[in-house]
Amino acid sequence: MGVIREQGQKAKAASEEMALLSTEEKNSLLHKMSECLLDDMDVILLENEKDLAQGEKNGLSAALLDRLRLTPDRIKGMANGFQQVASLKDPIGETIESWERPNGLQIDSIRVPLGVAGIIYEARPNVTADAAGLCIKTGNAAFLRGSSSAYYSNKAIVQSIHSALQAEGITTDAVQLAKDTSREAASEMFTMNDYLDVLIPRGGAGLIQAVVKQSSVPVLETGVGNCHVYIDDTADKDMGIAIAVNAKTQRPSVCNACETIVVHQSWFDQHGTELVRALLEKGVDIRGDQAVQHVHEQVKPATENDWKEEYLDLIVAVKTVEHAKEAVSHIKKYGTGHSEAIITETAENKQLFFRHIDAAALYHNASTRFTDGDEFGFGAEIGISTQKLHARGPMGLKALTSSKYIVVGSGQIKE
Amino acid sequence: MGVIREQGQKAKAASEEMALLSTEEKNSLLHKMSECLLDDMDVILLENEKDLAQGEKNGLSAALLDRLRLTPDRIKGMANGFQQVASLKDPIGETIESWERPNGLQIDSIRVPLGVAGIIYEARPNVTADAAGLCIKTGNAAFLRGSSSAYYSNKAIVQSIHSALQAEGITTDAVQLAKDTSREAASEMFTMNDYLDVLIPRGGAGLIQAVVKQSSVPVLETGVGNCHVYIDDTADKDMGIAIAVNAKTQRPSVCNACETIVVHQSWFDQHGTELVRALLEKGVDIRGDQAVQHVHEQVKPATENDWKEEYLDLIVAVKTVEHAKEAVSHIKKYGTGHSEAIITETAENKQLFFRHIDAAALYHNASTRFTDGDEFGFGAEIGISTQKLHARGPMGLKALTSSKYIVVGSGQIKE
């Protein structure tokens, strides 16, 4: 048995112990993890330096190095994260539904942990802490497969978590970092159905698709968002511009950022120039159809590919349409079912949009940037699901749970 | 593009139409389907004869031929099924949760269809009707891949459903039977993520494992049940025997039937002979440990394999244990997480069992045979999930739904 399967087997055994922890035990552990992380800050920063030095040697981009970099503030942020998760309501043991059958059987559906969650992620070491915290609160074991480029940082964080587990008398197998960070080892996780109950890939489209295509373990697909903001003819001018600019520029690198702005022709005739200027002022590179190109020389022509692309950058496609239905058709054709917004004062068009578009989150007069566990009030987030099974949209603690039926009888047999 | 992908593409387009149907339209269609099925009874029976003749020629077992056989009563049963599904509450459009954020955003989680459900199943033609009815009620398109051994029967049933769809002015692409019933065509469905939102395999362990292992489309795993009845020392004698016999013999071929009876030694010392006799009287072949072999000459020795096997037949393994914890360990080791029962008068042992065993359904003083959509009061069932994501245990209409978030604002942007 390879090292990855051995680790998986240990995680499965640990998950049984985790499932039996009380809320108090889990919260006490999370507070201890917070404490240990602050105590271990110097070691973690030193180990992080090793990854950064190696990354520079390997020619990682400035953006990737920034994601990889830990600072005292970022470590404090992780420690606070543990405390925040401790403060959330424990979903485990909750009675989801309860009813009695005519034959007297009493049926309760009870929320239980999933078991072992496998998280496969890229360079950001904070995912190590976030995922561990969420798995612990939900009574799951966490099997973490971080990028080899963050190996020393992840190892230091997990060692710190292990000292907390030891201090609380809980097996360190509950939070494990994959000892083998090769691609083959990741592939082995894809088929460890005996030991893993779910795989959650977090990272770029390539990683996510590899997991979705190759995994026999059930996957929670996160990620790709070709999100739209549609500005209808009755949209308030200032609101339309503010939301479009916010959805595009407030943080362009994330999945809920807007990639295409669709605008009703008559609104664009009146306010198009102002919208384009507002975007240009924020440094946005605009690719537009002919009407959009006409209002400013810096607008480049949009190609078919621009309607499809998730830029994750300060680039936006802008398309004008003759009516709301055309906007809906465009979004249905090119959207990825993540987050879509309509800005309108017309109830009918709002309903048209809500009824005909199928996405994890639909917005009326608000920015797509709100598709986020914190913004939804979940307190924490393991990712944003873009699939339809199990969980859709921001995933908080409940997405890391399953249920079991408890049936109490008095001798009932099936006739 | 192959014929299967073409069909998938059409199903996806049809699913958008299905999602917009009102409850009244869906119920009217289901009643029409019921009517058409009765009208088309003669044709369906004739086509079924073709499959039966071919099956006999191919040497199908009597049991398989029985599953394949349609009778006027079975067709009436399918027609009644459509009416029953029409009478169930429509889950689509239901508000699952609703809350307001401090910034004034109003968030609603709304139940929506999954899209296209692919059902891959073996010889029973009634699955064609059942699955179509459940998919229609939940606003999904159904892509049905039945066994080639039931091709003519399935085709006749789908043609009958098509005449109902036509009469109601709904596209016949909403319910499609795979035109190619080769293995390769089924494999093609496994990776049609663009067109299929879920795959539900219904049949033997081989079929289910093939789908789980090879599919990149999310799967609802159904099926394998190595179910246990544990009779504790305080169990009532008559209740223990009645439940064990019922769970084993009432319908041995189904996944919620009991495969191993675990018995506390002191209960067995008093009532073991009676339990064994009651099982033998029902024609059950018993494989027992030494204590069990002692009470009757017809008991054969159990091997390690007997604790593992899902017999799906009139065979049972019987094991004695010294205490409830040993029973729990045995069930944890060999159970498949389907349905497990404890018969006891001791609250402590009931709690031990409920707390330590992780399965879709746990029973106290009742037969495992109740793990069933009808018995749970769901009115209909698409299968029994043995996985932990999305749905666990009997799956009714809700298992064929997803959700979307509707967020209504007044110009909120992310700070």
Side-chain angles (χ1 to χ4, degrees), chain A residues 27-28 72-73 89 114 116 152-153 185 205 218 238 261 274 296 303 309 324 338 346 358 368 385 414:
Chain A
N27 290 345
S28 167
D73 270 356
K89 194 176 168 296
L114 283 173
V116 182
Y152 290 105
S153 315
D238 292 337
I261 304 168
E274 204 170 326
H296 203 289
T303 64
E309 196 154 337
H338 192 295
T346 316
D358 188 34
T368 55
S385 167
K414 177 132 172 174

mmCIF file of all heavy atoms in Angstrom, chain A residues 27-28 72-73 89 114 116 152-153 185 205 218 238 261 274 296 303 309 324 338 346 358 368 385 414:
data_model
loop_
_atom_site.group_PDB
_atom_site.id
_atom_site.type_symbol
_atom_site.label_atom_id
_atom_site.label_comp_id
_atom_site.label_asym_id
_atom_site.label_seq_id
_atom_site.Cartn_x
_atom_site.Cartn_y
_atom_site.Cartn_z
ATOM 1 N N ASN A 27 -14.829 22.867 19.891
ATOM 2 C CA ASN A 27 -14.522 24.289 20.058
ATOM 3 C C ASN A 27 -13.253 24.503 20.865
ATOM 4 O O ASN A 27 -12.448 25.384 20.570
ATOM 5 C CB ASN A 27 -15.699 25.014 20.725
ATOM 6 C CG ASN A 27 -16.892 25.110 19.784
ATOM 7 O OD1 ASN A 27 -16.746 24.894 18.572
ATOM 8 N ND2 ASN A 27 -18.053 25.421 20.332
ATOM 9 N N SER A 28 -13.072 23.663 21.871
ATOM 10 C CA SER A 28 -11.864 23.761 22.685
ATOM 11 C C SER A 28 -10.630 23.493 21.812
ATOM 12 O O SER A 28 -9.614 24.191 21.902
ATOM 13 C CB SER A 28 -11.976 22.759 23.839
ATOM 14 O OG SER A 28 -10.747 22.605 24.469
ATOM 15 N N PRO A 72 2.971 37.982 9.443
ATOM 16 C CA PRO A 72 2.359 37.882 10.774
ATOM 17 C C PRO A 72 0.856 38.158 10.712
ATOM 18 O O PRO A 72 0.061 37.454 11.339
ATOM 19 C CB PRO A 72 3.113 38.942 11.573
ATOM 20 C CG PRO A 72 4.471 38.999 10.929
ATOM 21 C CD PRO A 72 4.215 38.803 9.467
ATOM 22 N N ASP A 73 0.443 39.150 9.917
ATOM 23 C CA ASP A 73 -0.985 39.458 9.815
ATOM 24 C C ASP A 73 -1.776 38.298 9.209
ATOM 25 O O ASP A 73 -2.894 37.997 9.656
ATOM 26 C CB ASP A 73 -1.192 40.705 8.947
ATOM 27 C CG ASP A 73 -1.176 41.965 9.800
ATOM 28 O OD1 ASP A 73 -1.084 41.820 11.044
ATOM 29 O OD2 ASP A 73 -1.224 43.075 9.227
ATOM 30 N N LYS A 89 -22.471 27.954 15.074
ATOM 31 C CA LYS A 89 -23.336 26.887 15.566
ATOM 32 C C LYS A 89 -22.868 25.546 14.980
ATOM 33 O O LYS A 89 -22.606 25.448 13.786
ATOM 34 C CB LYS A 89 -24.775 27.179 15.127
ATOM 35 C CG LYS A 89 -25.817 26.342 15.836
ATOM 36 C CD LYS A 89 -27.221 26.777 15.415
ATOM 37 C CE LYS A 89 -28.247 25.764 15.900
ATOM 38 N NZ LYS A 89 -28.110 24.427 15.304
ATOM 39 N N LEU A 114 -19.540 14.046 7.079
ATOM 40 C CA LEU A 114 -19.344 13.260 5.863
ATOM 41 C C LEU A 114 -18.373 12.111 6.106
ATOM 42 O O LEU A 114 -18.532 11.037 5.558
ATOM 43 C CB LEU A 114 -18.783 14.151 4.746
ATOM 44 C CG LEU A 114 -19.782 15.077 4.058
ATOM 45 C CD1 LEU A 114 -19.053 16.015 3.108
ATOM 46 C CD2 LEU A 114 -20.822 14.265 3.298
ATOM 47 N N VAL A 116 -14.399 11.652 5.747
ATOM 48 C CA VAL A 116 -13.095 12.230 5.396
ATOM 49 C C VAL A 116 -13.265 13.128 4.173
ATOM 50 O O VAL A 116 -13.779 12.694 3.150
ATOM 51 C CB VAL A 116 -12.050 11.139 5.069
ATOM 52 C CG1 VAL A 116 -10.696 11.775 4.762
ATOM 53 C CG2 VAL A 116 -11.925 10.139 6.212
ATOM 54 N N TYR A 152 6.615 23.385 2.553
ATOM 55 C CA TYR A 152 7.179 23.676 3.880
ATOM 56 C C TYR A 152 6.204 24.499 4.720
ATOM 57 O O TYR A 152 6.041 24.250 5.917
ATOM 58 C CB TYR A 152 8.527 24.385 3.743
ATOM 59 C CG TYR A 152 9.599 23.471 3.216
ATOM 60 C CD1 TYR A 152 10.050 23.555 1.909
ATOM 61 C CD2 TYR A 152 10.145 22.480 4.041
ATOM 62 C CE1 TYR A 152 11.013 22.683 1.425
ATOM 63 C CE2 TYR A 152 11.120 21.607 3.555
ATOM 64 C CZ TYR A 152 11.548 21.716 2.244
ATOM 65 O OH TYR A 152 12.493 20.850 1.770
ATOM 66 N N SER A 153 5.529 25.445 4.083
ATOM 67 C CA SER A 153 4.553 26.270 4.804
ATOM 68 C C SER A 153 3.405 25.397 5.316
ATOM 69 O O SER A 153 3.014 25.466 6.492
ATOM 70 C CB SER A 153 3.981 27.347 3.882
ATOM 71 O OG SER A 153 4.999 27.963 3.132
ATOM 72 N N ALA A 185 0.391 10.963 -6.873
ATOM 73 C CA ALA A 185 -0.217 10.818 -5.557
ATOM 74 C C ALA A 185 -1.588 11.485 -5.517
ATOM 75 O O ALA A 185 -2.540 10.954 -4.944
ATOM 76 C CB ALA A 185 0.701 11.422 -4.495
ATOM 77 N N ALA A 205 -9.075 26.338 -13.232
ATOM 78 C CA ALA A 205 -9.980 25.490 -14.002
ATOM 79 C C ALA A 205 -9.344 24.155 -14.367
ATOM 80 O O ALA A 205 -10.013 23.123 -14.388
ATOM 81 C CB ALA A 205 -10.431 26.228 -15.263
ATOM 82 N N PRO A 218 -16.908 11.079 -4.893
ATOM 83 C CA PRO A 218 -17.797 12.201 -5.192
ATOM 84 C C PRO A 218 -17.071 13.541 -5.021
ATOM 85 O O PRO A 218 -16.309 13.722 -4.077
ATOM 86 C CB PRO A 218 -18.917 12.057 -4.153
ATOM 87 C CG PRO A 218 -18.923 10.612 -3.787
ATOM 88 C CD PRO A 218 -17.486 10.171 -3.883
ATOM 89 N N ASP A 238 -26.847 55.682 -11.894
ATOM 90 C CA ASP A 238 -25.745 55.560 -10.939
ATOM 91 C C ASP A 238 -25.611 54.125 -10.418
ATOM 92 O O ASP A 238 -24.511 53.611 -10.236
ATOM 93 C CB ASP A 238 -25.950 56.515 -9.763
ATOM 94 C CG ASP A 238 -25.816 57.970 -10.208
ATOM 95 O OD1 ASP A 238 -25.161 58.203 -11.251
ATOM 96 O OD2 ASP A 238 -26.379 58.850 -9.536
ATOM 97 N N ILE A 261 -20.376 42.611 -19.238
ATOM 98 C CA ILE A 261 -21.494 43.500 -18.920
ATOM 99 C C ILE A 261 -22.406 43.526 -20.141
ATOM 100 O O ILE A 261 -21.954 43.776 -21.259
ATOM 101 C CB ILE A 261 -20.991 44.930 -18.597
ATOM 102 C CG1 ILE A 261 -19.964 44.888 -17.454
ATOM 103 C CG2 ILE A 261 -22.154 45.844 -18.246
ATOM 104 C CD1 ILE A 261 -19.197 46.202 -17.256
ATOM 105 N N GLU A 274 -20.545 57.233 -20.124
ATOM 106 C CA GLU A 274 -20.181 57.366 -18.710
ATOM 107 C C GLU A 274 -19.747 56.016 -18.122
ATOM 108 O O GLU A 274 -18.777 55.934 -17.351
ATOM 109 C CB GLU A 274 -21.378 57.926 -17.934
ATOM 110 C CG GLU A 274 -20.967 58.617 -16.654
ATOM 111 C CD GLU A 274 -22.131 59.387 -16.027
ATOM 112 O OE1 GLU A 274 -22.980 59.929 -16.769
ATOM 113 O OE2 GLU A 274 -22.191 59.406 -14.783
ATOM 114 N N HIS A 296 -15.887 55.078 -27.398
ATOM 115 C CA HIS A 296 -14.539 55.421 -26.929
ATOM 116 C C HIS A 296 -13.489 54.678 -27.750
ATOM 117 O O HIS A 296 -13.616 53.488 -27.998
ATOM 118 C CB HIS A 296 -14.374 55.084 -25.442
ATOM 119 C CG HIS A 296 -13.282 55.863 -24.779
ATOM 120 N ND1 HIS A 296 -11.959 55.649 -25.021
ATOM 121 C CD2 HIS A 296 -13.333 56.902 -23.902
ATOM 122 C CE1 HIS A 296 -11.230 56.489 -24.303
ATOM 123 N NE2 HIS A 296 -12.055 57.282 -23.609
ATOM 124 N N THR A 303 -14.467 39.572 -29.643
ATOM 125 C CA THR A 303 -14.622 38.409 -30.515
ATOM 126 C C THR A 303 -15.498 37.390 -29.781
ATOM 127 O O THR A 303 -15.764 37.541 -28.579
ATOM 128 C CB THR A 303 -13.257 37.746 -30.798
ATOM 129 O OG1 THR A 303 -12.737 37.257 -29.551
ATOM 130 C CG2 THR A 303 -12.276 38.741 -31.398
ATOM 131 N N GLU A 309 -14.898 33.945 -22.194
ATOM 132 C CA GLU A 309 -13.740 33.874 -21.316
ATOM 133 C C GLU A 309 -13.987 34.353 -19.891
ATOM 134 O O GLU A 309 -14.658 35.342 -19.636
ATOM 135 C CB GLU A 309 -12.578 34.670 -21.923
ATOM 136 C CG GLU A 309 -11.273 34.314 -21.252
ATOM 137 C CD GLU A 309 -10.066 34.549 -22.156
ATOM 138 O OE1 GLU A 309 -10.254 34.558 -23.383
ATOM 139 O OE2 GLU A 309 -8.966 34.733 -21.612
ATOM 140 N N ALA A 324 -34.537 42.661 -22.912
ATOM 141 C CA ALA A 324 -34.119 41.803 -21.804
ATOM 142 C C ALA A 324 -34.019 40.336 -22.228
ATOM 143 O O ALA A 324 -33.144 39.603 -21.769
ATOM 144 C CB ALA A 324 -35.083 41.959 -20.626
ATOM 145 N N HIS A 338 -22.827 30.445 -12.401
ATOM 146 C CA HIS A 338 -22.257 30.869 -11.119
ATOM 147 C C HIS A 338 -23.112 32.010 -10.543
ATOM 148 O O HIS A 338 -24.032 31.752 -9.768
ATOM 149 C CB HIS A 338 -20.803 31.285 -11.325
ATOM 150 C CG HIS A 338 -20.018 31.462 -10.073
ATOM 151 N ND1 HIS A 338 -20.297 32.442 -9.147
ATOM 152 C CD2 HIS A 338 -18.952 30.774 -9.575
ATOM 153 C CE1 HIS A 338 -19.445 32.351 -8.133
ATOM 154 N NE2 HIS A 338 -18.627 31.330 -8.375
ATOM 155 N N THR A 346 -37.854 47.294 -13.447
ATOM 156 C CA THR A 346 -39.046 46.648 -14.003
ATOM 157 C C THR A 346 -39.244 45.268 -13.381
ATOM 158 O O THR A 346 -38.413 44.375 -13.589
ATOM 159 C CB THR A 346 -38.886 46.479 -15.538
ATOM 160 O OG1 THR A 346 -38.360 47.686 -16.069
ATOM 161 C CG2 THR A 346 -40.189 46.111 -16.193
ATOM 162 N N ASP A 358 -30.647 29.806 -14.923
ATOM 163 C CA ASP A 358 -30.346 28.807 -13.908
ATOM 164 C C ASP A 358 -28.891 28.993 -13.480
ATOM 165 O O ASP A 358 -27.971 28.689 -14.235
ATOM 166 C CB ASP A 358 -30.556 27.412 -14.502
ATOM 167 C CG ASP A 358 -30.450 26.332 -13.436
ATOM 168 O OD1 ASP A 358 -30.859 26.588 -12.292
ATOM 169 O OD2 ASP A 358 -29.931 25.249 -13.757
ATOM 170 N N THR A 368 -22.531 40.979 -8.177
ATOM 171 C CA THR A 368 -22.268 39.525 -8.140
ATOM 172 C C THR A 368 -21.214 39.158 -7.091
ATOM 173 O O THR A 368 -21.091 37.999 -6.718
ATOM 174 C CB THR A 368 -21.740 39.022 -9.506
ATOM 175 O OG1 THR A 368 -20.587 39.797 -9.881
ATOM 176 C CG2 THR A 368 -22.798 39.142 -10.582
ATOM 177 N N SER A 385 -19.853 26.206 -4.759
ATOM 178 C CA SER A 385 -20.187 25.084 -5.637
ATOM 179 C C SER A 385 -20.821 25.580 -6.923
ATOM 180 O O SER A 385 -21.748 26.385 -6.897
ATOM 181 C CB SER A 385 -21.142 24.134 -4.922
ATOM 182 O OG SER A 385 -21.703 23.231 -5.859
ATOM 183 N N LYS A 414 -42.482 -5.552 8.152
ATOM 184 C CA LYS A 414 -43.103 -5.192 6.869
ATOM 185 C C LYS A 414 -44.084 -6.277 6.467
ATOM 186 O O LYS A 414 -43.727 -7.456 6.410
ATOM 187 C CB LYS A 414 -42.019 -5.029 5.816
ATOM 188 C CG LYS A 414 -42.579 -4.732 4.446
ATOM 189 C CD LYS A 414 -41.893 -3.589 3.774
ATOM 190 C CE LYS A 414 -42.365 -3.473 2.339
ATOM 191 N NZ LYS A 414 -41.831 -2.286 1.686
#
